[in-house]
Amino acid sequence: MNRFCRFLIAGFMLLAFGCAQPEIHLTSYVNPLIGTTVLTDSADLGYNPPWRTWNGLLGPAATVPFGMVQVIPVTTYGSGSGYEYEVNTIKAIAQTSGTQWGRLNIPIMPLEGNDFTADDFASSFSHSNEEAHPGYYQVLLERYNINAELTATPRCAYHKYTYLGGKDKKLAFDLVHAGGGSSSWEIDQAGENVVTGKQGGLHFYAVVSEKIKSIDIYERNPNQPDIPPSGQGAGGQRKLTGNIDIPILSFENSDSPLEVKIGISSVSAENAKLNYEKEIADKNFDEVYKAADESWEKLLNKIRVTGGTDKQKEMFYSCLYRQFWESNVTSDVNGELAVWERKRRTPGGSPASARKVIKPGFETYTSPNFWDTYRTKLVLLNMLLPDVSSDIIKSIILSGENSGFLPTSFHGDFASTFITGSYLRGVRDYDVQKAYQLMLNNANTPTGDGVRGARPHNAKYLELGFVPEENIQNPVTETVSTAGTTKTLESAYSDYSIALLAKELGDTDTYKTMMGRSKNYKNVFDAQTGFMRGRLADGTWVTPFDPLYPYYEFMYREANAWQSTFFVPHDTEGLIGLFKSPEEFELKVDSLFSIPWGGYAIDNVSCFIGQFCMGNQPDFNYPYLYYFLNKPEKSQAILDKLLADYFGMGPEGLALPGMDDQGSLTGWYVFNALGIFPYSPADPEYIVSVPIFDKIEMEIGDGQIFTIVKQGNGKNIDKITIGEEPLKGWFVDYDDMLKGKELNIYTK
């Protein structure tokens, strides 16, 4: 009997005996399979897909909030999370996942009997025999008739394999595989039921519930397409190393389930063992799952909603759940962390680096993908978990002290926006002066011509006030250039973010400089066409120009002119002023949401209303543009359609409109379902819309309860009050939210 059924039966028994109905467990609303499926219908995508599209790239891993461990069934190596819903075979079960490729470390696979080879041991499975909840995953491996159950602690995985047929138990360590391949591995039997080892730079300490009878090497075919080409398998009776062949553990027969507890560490095997001892050694499976479930329930209870349909609650809490998946803890239980320390540049060479173990004195985290997450997810963390936000900022400062710069991840320079937005929301448990200096390093280093820094082509940006495009004839979607228009727009917003912090810190000169630079968006606006457009270094516009044609890195980053032109969140009034009149701007926005997408197939860009793309981050705040024309009802119609039709897409009702990108897309849903949205994430304020729920209670800051109430059943806003006073304009201040003032949204 599965655990969900047990919860239901317990509830029915309480009702049958006349007890009060138990409060609904919020984890029961979460469906970890949302975001794992793929869209294939051109009517949904906006084009005929020539490849598997990126509609979520999430997985149903068993994990705890921000866990180093995410135990994931791997259907496809090289995919986002490792799990693709439409693939009906499981290749292994890895100890780490994530949402953007890589990871999938230390894959293992339970086997039975001898009917397999080193190149063929994957098992088929059916979604009818699969179950996923926060902190728990279960599946029947049909090939071996093994029921697999998974749960986790922050740094340890717990596997429970019940052999329903045979008793010839085996366990494969498929260490040649990982998300990006594995160049080296080793495994060492360290006791009658213990193996230790490493895969790349990740150490593991694994304890099994059965006595190990033998460890045998099964030879792979080196010509298999998914096998890394270098090296040969090698090993002895005790310690085995290599990078092609596969070690398989055999066990003494018993009727008990085979249980495997695995601690991991980037520091050492000793730390992996310590993580195991402190987190999981003396606990059974049900105890670990119960603790994992409780950790999720505690965070989901940060936002409690009343009203709405069960379907809306399922989507809401499933999206809220994804806000706490990443960033991931990187320090061990003893506080240690392995880092790569940059050394001085050798004569004629590149800067060298050396591995070093440090003890920072706080919980360290992986660096967020800022281009994706600064817009939604990181703002939500500031509100709900300020201590985690502070530790993430401390972690990127720690990285910056080594490199001299804040990390920028994919594109843009939005660590600055995150830090400013955090500081202005009262998240301040870090050295803000160190953070501020690193922000200035990013913004003012003249990169280019051999100068290293955080913002590519920044020398030209500082000189010209825009990043020029290369003069490339006949560019295509895949053309790699400077993406100069997008870089200019993004740098202008990052400069604005720095200006806000400079003002708060009393640095008046920098405030004035950065506020001036925040207007650089005007330097790439072509008044003749009404679009943000690429310019060459001599100031001339890129010609020919087609605003409908999308690019990855020419003029725009993963966008076309329509999807880039309105990115001025800090000065939308100034953007409107570039047009001949507000009426002309309104017509432009009308066209944004009505001119059909041209059928271009491009990764990361999918699911449209007109030219507006819900499946990628650049457009996230565009539905609100009508507010600045005092026509919020036009915005609300778009928001309602997006919330209703673009989340839970496809035949299974599980697809998202694009990559979730560490919680950014699901974060968009969370905010808009609540009726508040961080239109400009650096600013501590939120634009207000009509929520999908009747009442929302949020635990924010240090525990203050902020309440949102929807008054009436209308579709549009009639009036708004905050603390019983009329709200001036459309934005609610975070300071008022922290004071517990109730936000009432009256509808008509």
Side-chain angles (χ1 to χ4, degrees), residues 359-644:
K359 207 166 186 176
F362 57 90
E363 195 100 284
T364 60
Y365 290 84
T366 54
S367 176
N369 280 5
F370 288 107
W371 192 80
D372 307 307
T373 56
Y374 87 93
R375 308 165 198 260
T376 54
K377 179 258 192 68
L378 291 177
V379 179
L380 198 64
L381 286 189
N382 280 334
M383 299 168 69
L384 303 181
L385 295 170
D387 290 346
V388 173
S389 283
S390 286
D391 281 347
I392 292 173
I393 293 173
K394 290 177 187 175
S395 299
I396 63 175
I397 291 173
L398 181 66
S399 171
E401 288 178 320
N402 181 30
S403 67
F405 303 97
L406 292 172
T408 56
S409 65
F410 171 73
H411 203 259
D413 183 21
F414 294 119
S416 298
T417 302
F418 170 49
I419 293 170
T420 293
S422 301
Y423 195 80
L424 296 181
R425 289 177 175 87
V427 181
R428 301 185 175 187
D429 185 20
Y430 49 88
D431 190 329
V432 70
Q433 291 296 337
K434 283 185 178 180
Y436 181 57
Q437 185 56 56
L438 290 168
M439 292 162 68
L440 294 177
N441 291 355
N442 280 27
N444 294 329
T445 300
T447 55
D449 295 327
V451 177
R452 184 182 63 86
R455 293 189 187 182
H457 314 290
N458 202 43
K460 290 295 185 182
Y461 176 77
L462 297 175
E463 174 191 355
L464 302 172
F466 64 93
V467 176
E469 199 55 66
E470 296 179 19
N471 191 5
I472 297 175
Q473 300 300 310
N474 304 314
V476 296
T477 295
E478 294 81 10
T479 295
V480 175
S481 184
T482 66
T485 308
T486 294
K487 279 189 174 63
T488 301
L489 296 170
E490 292 180 346
S491 292
Y493 185 63
S494 295
D495 290 342
Y496 170 78
S497 303
I498 295 170
L500 294 183
L501 187 57
K503 182 179 181 180
E504 189 73 11
L505 298 178
D507 185 354
T508 304
D509 289 343
T510 299
Y511 168 74
K512 291 179 180 178
T513 297
M514 291 300 174
M515 282 302 288
R517 283 166 49 171
S518 75
K519 306 297 184 182
N520 282 343
Y521 71 88
K522 297 180 180 181
N523 296 334
V524 290
F525 181 76
D526 175 18
Q528 184 174 354
T529 63
F531 289 103
M532 301 293 177
R533 181 175 175 182
R535 296 179 73 179
L536 304 181
D538 64 5
T540 58
W541 298 111
V542 169
T543 304
F545 176 67
D546 180 358
L548 297 171
Y549 192 83
Y551 297 98
Y552 287 123
E553 292 185 72
F554 181 76
M555 292 197 289
Y556 313 108
R557 188 54 160 142
E558 295 181 0
N560 65 13
W562 282 103
Q563 294 150 2
S564 305
T565 289
F566 305 94
F567 182 76
V568 191
H570 57 298
D571 190 20
T572 302
E573 293 89 348
L575 172 65
I576 295 171
L578 296 177
F579 290 79
K580 293 177 182 178
S581 66
E583 291 75 19
E584 183 185 63
F585 182 79
E586 182 178 1
L587 289 173
K588 195 77 171 183
V589 179
D590 288 344
S591 297
L592 167 70
F593 290 105
S594 60
I595 293 176
W597 179 249
Y600 300 105
I602 174 173
D603 280 332
N604 278 342
V605 182
S606 58
C607 300
F608 305 88
I609 297 180
Q611 292 292 305
F612 168 82
C613 176
M614 187 67 257
N616 207 17
Q617 287 77 13
D619 297 17
F620 271 9
N621 60 4
Y622 290 5
Y624 289 98
L625 290 169
Y626 290 110
Y627 273 68
F628 296 87
L629 301 166
N630 205 33
K631 294 187 177 180
E633 66 280 358
K634 296 180 76 170
S635 290
Q636 193 66 55
I638 295 167
L639 292 171
D640 289 346
K641 181 172 180 60
L642 292 170
L643 289 167

Side-chain angles (χ1 to χ4, degrees), residues 253-447:
N253 292 333
S254 77
D255 293 328
S256 302
L258 179 66
E259 297 188 351
V260 189
K261 300 177 180 180
I262 304 176
I264 66 173
S265 167
S266 64
V267 173
S268 64
E270 292 76 18
N271 273 22
K273 180 180 180 181
L274 185 62
N275 290 339
Y276 158 81
E277 291 173 340
K278 294 294 185 181
E279 291 190 354
I280 205 170
D282 60 349
K283 297 180 176 66
N284 63 37
F285 188 92
D286 288 341
E287 289 172 332
V288 173
Y289 171 43
K290 182 175 183 290
D293 178 75
E294 289 173 350
S295 69
W296 285 112
E297 184 70 14
K298 180 180 179 181
L299 290 192
L300 296 175
N301 265 281
K302 291 279 186 178
I303 304 180
R304 299 192 65 86
V305 302
T306 303
T309 65
D310 284 345
K311 181 180 179 181
Q312 288 172 326
K313 289 176 181 176
E314 179 188 61
M315 183 57 66
F316 177 79
Y317 282 110
S318 296
C319 289
L320 182 60
Y321 161 75
R322 292 296 177 180
Q323 305 310 293
F324 312 122
W325 254 57
E326 297 169 287
S327 295
N328 304 108
V329 170
T330 54
S331 48
D332 293 327
V333 290
N334 61 2
E336 289 184 346
L337 170 72
V339 298
W340 288 93
E341 188 175 54
R342 184 178 293 274
K343 301 297 184 181
R344 290 185 180 274
R345 186 185 299 270
T346 57
S350 300
S353 59
R355 186 176 181 273
K356 182 181 179 181
V357 176
I358 62 173
K359 207 166 186 176
F362 57 90
E363 195 100 284
T364 60
Y365 290 84
T366 54
S367 176
N369 280 5
F370 288 107
W371 192 80
D372 307 307
T373 56
Y374 87 93
R375 308 165 198 260
T376 54
K377 179 258 192 68
L378 291 177
V379 179
L380 198 64
L381 286 189
N382 280 334
M383 299 168 69
L384 303 181
L385 295 170
D387 290 346
V388 173
S389 283
S390 286
D391 281 347
I392 292 173
I393 293 173
K394 290 177 187 175
S395 299
I396 63 175
I397 291 173
L398 181 66
S399 171
E401 288 178 320
N402 181 30
S403 67
F405 303 97
L406 292 172
T408 56
S409 65
F410 171 73
H411 203 259
D413 183 21
F414 294 119
S416 298
T417 302
F418 170 49
I419 293 170
T420 293
S422 301
Y423 195 80
L424 296 181
R425 289 177 175 87
V427 181
R428 301 185 175 187
D429 185 20
Y430 49 88
D431 190 329
V432 70
Q433 291 296 337
K434 283 185 178 180
Y436 181 57
Q437 185 56 56
L438 290 168
M439 292 162 68
L440 294 177
N441 291 355
N442 280 27
N444 294 329
T445 300
T447 55

Side-chain angles (χ1 to χ4, degrees), residues 158-215:
Y158 200 141
H159 304 241
K160 182 178 180 181
Y161 300 124
T162 302
Y163 286 67
L164 302 175
K167 299 179 182 179
D168 189 6
K169 302 173 184 175
K170 293 183 172 67
L171 185 67
F173 277 74
D174 188 12
L175 300 176
V176 68
H177 280 114
S182 174
S183 60
S184 63
W185 58 264
E186 62 182 59
I187 188 169
D188 182 12
Q189 185 174 346
E192 67 176 16
N193 66 332
V194 178
V195 291
T196 64
K198 63 184 296 188
Q199 184 189 50
L202 191 63
H203 302 265
F204 65 89
Y205 181 87
V207 178
V208 291
S209 59
E210 306 284 349
K211 181 178 179 180
I212 299 170
K213 185 166 60 175
S214 65
I215 303 179

